[in-house]
Amino acid sequence: MSAEDGSAPAAPFDLEAIRREFDELAARVPDRATWEALRVRFLGRKQGVVRSALEAISQVAPAHRKAYGAAVNRLKLHVEAEVERLEVALRAAAEAGSRRTLLDVTLPGRRPRVGSLHPVTVAARAIEGIFRELGYTVAEGPEVEDDFHNFEALNFPPDHPARDTQDTFFVEGGLLLRTHTSPVQIRTLLARKPPIRVICPGRVFRCDNDLRHSPMFHQIECLAVAEGITFSDLRGTLEAFVGRLFAGSGVRLRPSFFPFTEPSCEVDITCPFCRGNGCETCSGSGWMEILGSGMVDPRVLANCGLDPDVYSGFAFGMGVDRVAMIRYGVPNIRSLFENDERLLRQIKA
């Protein structure tokens, strides 16, 4: 019986015609909205053409039902695959368009931000470079010291204020955080025989904290020991060093006292801010203190097993942070250790 007389049809949908129509529409999908309309029309859950063709399988004559079902499945797979391919292509096109909008390849490149050395590091390397050219070597030692190397061997009396807890950081086991790099000089004198010419850079620690002092700061000390060294050698070395570190600066020596040198003197340089004319920074004197120095005390040489009648020497030391403050005009020493990028970018050492 035919469909006109009430029998079941062989194929309620023309599947080939549906496929041709879909392919024609799929070939002309310019945007997401068109793609969405195409998807809903053919794969929609309620009135999609492919879903309707699947639901109509019960209307097919039993003899043709298997062949019809297989044909509908092939159509469904074809439509789903093409819809997915179109979606991927539209997404890729959208991303490419977005990149073209955000990135203008005709603009010049931007240089990456490059870091720089810390001002204290630059100052320390400058000082070390000057002394290397003068024939000195670099010596280092531990930051946690014992009393002998930090005080006793350096001729500090038992009642010296530096041995008190208000000046020095003490740790367990009778040890302490070194208050200067002079212990490195003692270790060098105990380990080597003269002639000796060394500088001793490193961190030191003191119970002090204000605009010009920090509980942790950096020092570089210089030591020269040999036969026949005199105070003239000390002054000549200081003038050569200061002249290189602070170009054109004068040097002034003032009598002072240190337990480990005798005679001792403070070293002033021409104020770099006013060039000796007097300003607020140098308190109107035209001079600025930069370091302490002197001839190595004979008792220090004896404590290290050297005959003071044969050997003599000089020593001096300075705060590297103070040198950096002077060179770069930093008014507060704490600013050097706050890691403020604005300050570091301004200095750009």
Side-chain angles (χ1 to χ4, degrees), residues 35-53:
W35 172 85
E36 181 65 17
L38 179 70
R39 186 191 67 80
V40 171
R41 177 175 178 181
F42 285 89
L43 294 177
R45 292 186 177 182
K46 294 184 177 180
Q47 296 180 346
V49 175
V50 174
R51 186 175 184 83
S52 298

PDB file of all heavy atoms in Angstrom, residues 35-53:
ATOM      1  N   TRP A  35      25.850  31.488  12.466  1.00  0.00           N
ATOM      2  CA  TRP A  35      26.177  30.114  12.869  1.00  0.00           C
ATOM      3  C   TRP A  35      25.172  29.602  13.893  1.00  0.00           C
ATOM      4  O   TRP A  35      24.725  28.459  13.822  1.00  0.00           O
ATOM      5  CB  TRP A  35      27.581  30.096  13.473  1.00  0.00           C
ATOM      6  CG  TRP A  35      27.950  28.772  14.092  1.00  0.00           C
ATOM      7  CD1 TRP A  35      28.466  27.696  13.468  1.00  0.00           C
ATOM      8  CD2 TRP A  35      27.787  28.401  15.473  1.00  0.00           C
ATOM      9  NE1 TRP A  35      28.648  26.658  14.350  1.00  0.00           N
ATOM     10  CE2 TRP A  35      28.242  27.076  15.604  1.00  0.00           C
ATOM     11  CE3 TRP A  35      27.303  29.067  16.596  1.00  0.00           C
ATOM     12  CZ2 TRP A  35      28.225  26.407  16.818  1.00  0.00           C
ATOM     13  CZ3 TRP A  35      27.295  28.392  17.802  1.00  0.00           C
ATOM     14  CH2 TRP A  35      27.759  27.075  17.914  1.00  0.00           C
ATOM     15  N   GLU A  36      24.803  30.446  14.855  1.00  0.00           N
ATOM     16  CA  GLU A  36      23.863  30.024  15.880  1.00  0.00           C
ATOM     17  C   GLU A  36      22.502  29.710  15.275  1.00  0.00           C
ATOM     18  O   GLU A  36      21.841  28.730  15.657  1.00  0.00           O
ATOM     19  CB  GLU A  36      23.735  31.111  16.949  1.00  0.00           C
ATOM     20  CG  GLU A  36      22.786  30.786  18.102  1.00  0.00           C
ATOM     21  CD  GLU A  36      23.257  29.614  18.936  1.00  0.00           C
ATOM     22  OE1 GLU A  36      24.450  29.231  18.853  1.00  0.00           O
ATOM     23  OE2 GLU A  36      22.430  29.056  19.689  1.00  0.00           O
ATOM     24  N   ALA A  37      22.064  30.517  14.320  1.00  0.00           N
ATOM     25  CA  ALA A  37      20.786  30.262  13.650  1.00  0.00           C
ATOM     26  C   ALA A  37      20.817  28.947  12.889  1.00  0.00           C
ATOM     27  O   ALA A  37      19.846  28.166  12.901  1.00  0.00           O
ATOM     28  CB  ALA A  37      20.458  31.422  12.708  1.00  0.00           C
ATOM     29  N   LEU A  38      21.939  28.673  12.227  1.00  0.00           N
ATOM     30  CA  LEU A  38      22.089  27.419  11.497  1.00  0.00           C
ATOM     31  C   LEU A  38      22.055  26.233  12.448  1.00  0.00           C
ATOM     32  O   LEU A  38      21.398  25.210  12.183  1.00  0.00           O
ATOM     33  CB  LEU A  38      23.404  27.438  10.709  1.00  0.00           C
ATOM     34  CG  LEU A  38      23.735  26.181   9.910  1.00  0.00           C
ATOM     35  CD1 LEU A  38      22.779  26.034   8.720  1.00  0.00           C
ATOM     36  CD2 LEU A  38      25.174  26.217   9.404  1.00  0.00           C
ATOM     37  N   ARG A  39      22.755  26.337  13.563  1.00  0.00           N
ATOM     38  CA  ARG A  39      22.787  25.238  14.529  1.00  0.00           C
ATOM     39  C   ARG A  39      21.394  24.938  15.080  1.00  0.00           C
ATOM     40  O   ARG A  39      20.972  23.781  15.174  1.00  0.00           O
ATOM     41  CB  ARG A  39      23.742  25.606  15.674  1.00  0.00           C
ATOM     42  CG  ARG A  39      23.974  24.477  16.681  1.00  0.00           C
ATOM     43  CD  ARG A  39      24.686  24.978  17.915  1.00  0.00           C
ATOM     44  NE  ARG A  39      23.847  25.903  18.680  1.00  0.00           N
ATOM     45  CZ  ARG A  39      22.874  25.521  19.517  1.00  0.00           C
ATOM     46  NH1 ARG A  39      22.594  24.233  19.683  1.00  0.00           N
ATOM     47  NH2 ARG A  39      22.157  26.434  20.176  1.00  0.00           N
ATOM     48  N   VAL A  40      20.678  25.996  15.463  1.00  0.00           N
ATOM     49  CA  VAL A  40      19.347  25.800  16.033  1.00  0.00           C
ATOM     50  C   VAL A  40      18.399  25.186  14.993  1.00  0.00           C
ATOM     51  O   VAL A  40      17.592  24.300  15.320  1.00  0.00           O
ATOM     52  CB  VAL A  40      18.800  27.141  16.555  1.00  0.00           C
ATOM     53  CG1 VAL A  40      17.327  27.006  16.958  1.00  0.00           C
ATOM     54  CG2 VAL A  40      19.631  27.626  17.747  1.00  0.00           C
ATOM     55  N   ARG A  41      18.499  25.629  13.750  1.00  0.00           N
ATOM     56  CA  ARG A  41      17.579  25.132  12.721  1.00  0.00           C
ATOM     57  C   ARG A  41      17.757  23.646  12.470  1.00  0.00           C
ATOM     58  O   ARG A  41      16.763  22.921  12.313  1.00  0.00           O
ATOM     59  CB  ARG A  41      17.800  25.910  11.423  1.00  0.00           C
ATOM     60  CG  ARG A  41      16.926  25.399  10.286  1.00  0.00           C
ATOM     61  CD  ARG A  41      17.050  26.233   9.057  1.00  0.00           C
ATOM     62  NE  ARG A  41      16.240  25.691   7.975  1.00  0.00           N
ATOM     63  CZ  ARG A  41      16.174  26.219   6.756  1.00  0.00           C
ATOM     64  NH1 ARG A  41      16.874  27.310   6.458  1.00  0.00           N
ATOM     65  NH2 ARG A  41      15.416  25.661   5.813  1.00  0.00           N
ATOM     66  N   PHE A  42      18.999  23.183  12.468  1.00  0.00           N
ATOM     67  CA  PHE A  42      19.219  21.781  12.099  1.00  0.00           C
ATOM     68  C   PHE A  42      19.450  20.880  13.303  1.00  0.00           C
ATOM     69  O   PHE A  42      19.149  19.684  13.242  1.00  0.00           O
ATOM     70  CB  PHE A  42      20.424  21.679  11.144  1.00  0.00           C
ATOM     71  CG  PHE A  42      20.108  22.138   9.753  1.00  0.00           C
ATOM     72  CD1 PHE A  42      20.254  23.457   9.387  1.00  0.00           C
ATOM     73  CD2 PHE A  42      19.631  21.235   8.801  1.00  0.00           C
ATOM     74  CE1 PHE A  42      19.962  23.890   8.104  1.00  0.00           C
ATOM     75  CE2 PHE A  42      19.321  21.666   7.515  1.00  0.00           C
ATOM     76  CZ  PHE A  42      19.476  22.988   7.153  1.00  0.00           C
ATOM     77  N   LEU A  43      19.967  21.410  14.426  1.00  0.00           N
ATOM     78  CA  LEU A  43      20.259  20.560  15.578  1.00  0.00           C
ATOM     79  C   LEU A  43      19.482  20.968  16.823  1.00  0.00           C
ATOM     80  O   LEU A  43      19.741  20.449  17.907  1.00  0.00           O
ATOM     81  CB  LEU A  43      21.767  20.607  15.889  1.00  0.00           C
ATOM     82  CG  LEU A  43      22.706  20.009  14.830  1.00  0.00           C
ATOM     83  CD1 LEU A  43      24.153  20.188  15.247  1.00  0.00           C
ATOM     84  CD2 LEU A  43      22.395  18.533  14.574  1.00  0.00           C
ATOM     85  N   GLY A  44      18.552  21.913  16.719  1.00  0.00           N
ATOM     86  CA  GLY A  44      17.762  22.323  17.859  1.00  0.00           C
ATOM     87  C   GLY A  44      16.987  21.172  18.471  1.00  0.00           C
ATOM     88  O   GLY A  44      16.527  20.254  17.769  1.00  0.00           O
ATOM     89  N   ARG A  45      16.800  21.210  19.793  1.00  0.00           N
ATOM     90  CA  ARG A  45      16.146  20.103  20.492  1.00  0.00           C
ATOM     91  C   ARG A  45      14.642  20.043  20.239  1.00  0.00           C
ATOM     92  O   ARG A  45      14.034  18.975  20.317  1.00  0.00           O
ATOM     93  CB  ARG A  45      16.405  20.216  21.994  1.00  0.00           C
ATOM     94  CG  ARG A  45      17.860  19.982  22.368  1.00  0.00           C
ATOM     95  CD  ARG A  45      18.027  19.969  23.871  1.00  0.00           C
ATOM     96  NE  ARG A  45      19.400  19.668  24.258  1.00  0.00           N
ATOM     97  CZ  ARG A  45      19.812  19.553  25.508  1.00  0.00           C
ATOM     98  NH1 ARG A  45      18.915  19.720  26.500  1.00  0.00           N
ATOM     99  NH2 ARG A  45      21.063  19.274  25.781  1.00  0.00           N
ATOM    100  N   LYS A  46      14.034  21.167  19.991  1.00  0.00           N
ATOM    101  CA  LYS A  46      12.574  21.187  19.853  1.00  0.00           C
ATOM    102  C   LYS A  46      12.121  21.024  18.407  1.00  0.00           C
ATOM    103  O   LYS A  46      11.321  20.171  18.088  1.00  0.00           O
ATOM    104  CB  LYS A  46      12.003  22.482  20.429  1.00  0.00           C
ATOM    105  CG  LYS A  46      12.195  22.585  21.938  1.00  0.00           C
ATOM    106  CD  LYS A  46      11.533  23.849  22.475  1.00  0.00           C
ATOM    107  CE  LYS A  46      11.665  23.923  23.999  1.00  0.00           C
ATOM    108  NZ  LYS A  46      11.028  25.124  24.562  1.00  0.00           N
ATOM    109  N   GLN A  47      12.653  21.881  17.521  1.00  0.00           N
ATOM    110  CA  GLN A  47      12.171  21.842  16.137  1.00  0.00           C
ATOM    111  C   GLN A  47      13.305  21.704  15.143  1.00  0.00           C
ATOM    112  O   GLN A  47      13.161  22.085  13.971  1.00  0.00           O
ATOM    113  CB  GLN A  47      11.368  23.127  15.825  1.00  0.00           C
ATOM    114  CG  GLN A  47      10.107  23.247  16.662  1.00  0.00           C
ATOM    115  CD  GLN A  47       9.318  24.508  16.356  1.00  0.00           C
ATOM    116  OE1 GLN A  47       9.810  25.428  15.719  1.00  0.00           O
ATOM    117  NE2 GLN A  47       8.075  24.532  16.803  1.00  0.00           N
ATOM    118  N   GLY A  48      14.439  21.177  15.576  1.00  0.00           N
ATOM    119  CA  GLY A  48      15.540  20.985  14.658  1.00  0.00           C
ATOM    120  C   GLY A  48      15.197  19.973  13.579  1.00  0.00           C
ATOM    121  O   GLY A  48      14.532  18.960  13.841  1.00  0.00           O
ATOM    122  N   VAL A  49      15.657  20.252  12.372  1.00  0.00           N
ATOM    123  CA  VAL A  49      15.323  19.384  11.237  1.00  0.00           C
ATOM    124  C   VAL A  49      15.845  17.978  11.454  1.00  0.00           C
ATOM    125  O   VAL A  49      15.137  16.976  11.212  1.00  0.00           O
ATOM    126  CB  VAL A  49      15.899  19.985   9.932  1.00  0.00           C
ATOM    127  CG1 VAL A  49      15.675  19.023   8.761  1.00  0.00           C
ATOM    128  CG2 VAL A  49      15.262  21.335   9.652  1.00  0.00           C
ATOM    129  N   VAL A  50      17.073  17.843  11.926  1.00  0.00           N
ATOM    130  CA  VAL A  50      17.660  16.511  12.116  1.00  0.00           C
ATOM    131  C   VAL A  50      16.928  15.769  13.223  1.00  0.00           C
ATOM    132  O   VAL A  50      16.634  14.563  13.104  1.00  0.00           O
ATOM    133  CB  VAL A  50      19.154  16.631  12.442  1.00  0.00           C
ATOM    134  CG1 VAL A  50      19.742  15.261  12.793  1.00  0.00           C
ATOM    135  CG2 VAL A  50      19.911  17.245  11.273  1.00  0.00           C
ATOM    136  N   ARG A  51      16.578  16.460  14.297  1.00  0.00           N
ATOM    137  CA  ARG A  51      15.848  15.794  15.386  1.00  0.00           C
ATOM    138  C   ARG A  51      14.464  15.346  14.919  1.00  0.00           C
ATOM    139  O   ARG A  51      13.994  14.245  15.260  1.00  0.00           O
ATOM    140  CB  ARG A  51      15.726  16.733  16.573  1.00  0.00           C
ATOM    141  CG  ARG A  51      15.111  16.052  17.806  1.00  0.00           C
ATOM    142  CD  ARG A  51      15.119  16.971  18.999  1.00  0.00           C
ATOM    143  NE  ARG A  51      14.633  16.306  20.187  1.00  0.00           N
ATOM    144  CZ  ARG A  51      15.342  15.538  20.989  1.00  0.00           C
ATOM    145  NH1 ARG A  51      16.623  15.344  20.716  1.00  0.00           N
ATOM    146  NH2 ARG A  51      14.822  14.969  22.056  1.00  0.00           N
ATOM    147  N   SER A  52      13.829  16.187  14.128  1.00  0.00           N
ATOM    148  CA  SER A  52      12.506  15.807  13.604  1.00  0.00           C
ATOM    149  C   SER A  52      12.615  14.587  12.714  1.00  0.00           C
ATOM    150  O   SER A  52      11.745  13.697  12.744  1.00  0.00           O
ATOM    151  CB  SER A  52      11.904  16.983  12.823  1.00  0.00           C
ATOM    152  OG  SER A  52      11.716  18.095  13.683  1.00  0.00           O
ATOM    153  N   ALA A  53      13.677  14.510  11.910  1.00  0.00           N
ATOM    154  CA  ALA A  53      13.867  13.349  11.035  1.00  0.00           C
ATOM    155  C   ALA A  53      14.102  12.092  11.861  1.00  0.00           C
ATOM    156  O   ALA A  53      13.633  10.999  11.511  1.00  0.00           O
ATOM    157  CB  ALA A  53      15.031  13.598  10.088  1.00  0.00           C
TER     158      ALA A  53
END
